[in-house]
Amino acid sequence: MRVSKPLTIATLSVLAAACATTGASQDVEPLFVRHTMQAEVNPAIVGVWDVGNNAMNDTGGLDAALMTPELWDALAASAGDLAIAGEKMANATEIRAAAPGNMATEEYEVSMEAVQGFIDADPDGFRREATEFATMARALETAAKARDIDTAGELVANMDSECAVCHATYWYAE
């Protein structure tokens, strides 16, 4: 019986240490905006632009005659990817302009330190912009899945301005 008490105490100590370690490992990683933009947003918005440019009518909208099932599917997938990225940014608890190894900028670019300052000045505004972006992207995904040419065309045409509002405030504001 004497052996079991030290073993039980030792076992409890190990379990407590494991729980403490598990809790620490569950800390939320910061969202790195630059990485999210480079790895997730950029490829997805290029997908939207590809469809929009390849199926554009004379007035700048989408041409139903040019929208193949493959283009509709590509548009829906790209819009869904944009929505996921926007939702991640909107729900981030800690927002960082860039990871420590991704801070370098060209002479003509805004420094990541400056971008961080813009974000820190209004992180809730950044989240609101990301929410609006994600909402618009979800609406585009829904319109593409429904093959709604008018709604999809309007959303594709307005996506750039949605991006520009956030960029002007948080990326290029000087």
Side-chain angles (χ1 to χ4, degrees):
M1 289 276 205
R2 297 181 104 201
V3 174
S4 66
K5 283 185 185 179
L7 285 178
T8 302
I9 293 171
T11 303
L12 290 174
S13 296
V14 169
L15 286 174
C19 289
T21 303
T22 301
S25 69
Q26 290 178 354
D27 287 344
V28 176
E29 286 289 320
L31 176 109
F32 296 111
V33 178
R34 191 178 203 191
H35 173 78
T36 301
M37 297 301 282
Q38 291 170 333
E40 299 173 38
V41 173
N42 289 353
I45 196 66
V46 166
V48 169
W49 292 335
D50 283 346
V51 172
N53 291 338
N54 287 306
M56 189 180 298
N57 64 24
D58 293 337
T59 62
L62 293 178
D63 186 333
L66 298 174
M67 287 298 294
T68 65
E70 294 79 19
L71 287 178
W72 281 116
D73 292 345
L75 183 59
S78 292
D81 290 345
L82 284 175
I84 290 167
E87 291 159 356
K88 281 173 49 175
M89 291 187 286
N91 295 314
T93 55
E94 183 179 350
I95 305 165
R96 295 279 139 236
N102 194 16
M103 297 290 286
T105 56
E106 298 293 330
E107 188 175 305
Y108 58 88
E109 293 178 306
V110 177
S111 73
M112 291 298 100
E113 292 83 2
V115 172
Q116 188 64 54
F118 303 145
I119 293 169
D120 288 345
D122 189 9
D124 290 334
F126 179 88
R127 289 182 186 95
R128 277 190 304 277
E129 291 296 338
T131 298
E132 290 176 22
F133 174 76
T135 299
M136 182 180 234
R138 281 283 174 225
L140 178 55
E141 178 187 32
T142 299
K145 287 179 177 178
R147 310 301 201 241
D148 180 345
I149 194 73
D150 293 329
T151 302
E154 182 178 333
L155 290 166
V156 167
N158 291 326
M159 190 60 75
D160 283 349
S161 60
E162 188 68 30
C163 295
V165 169
C166 189
H167 284 217
T169 305
Y170 296 99
W171 208 257
Y172 302 116
E174 283 199 59

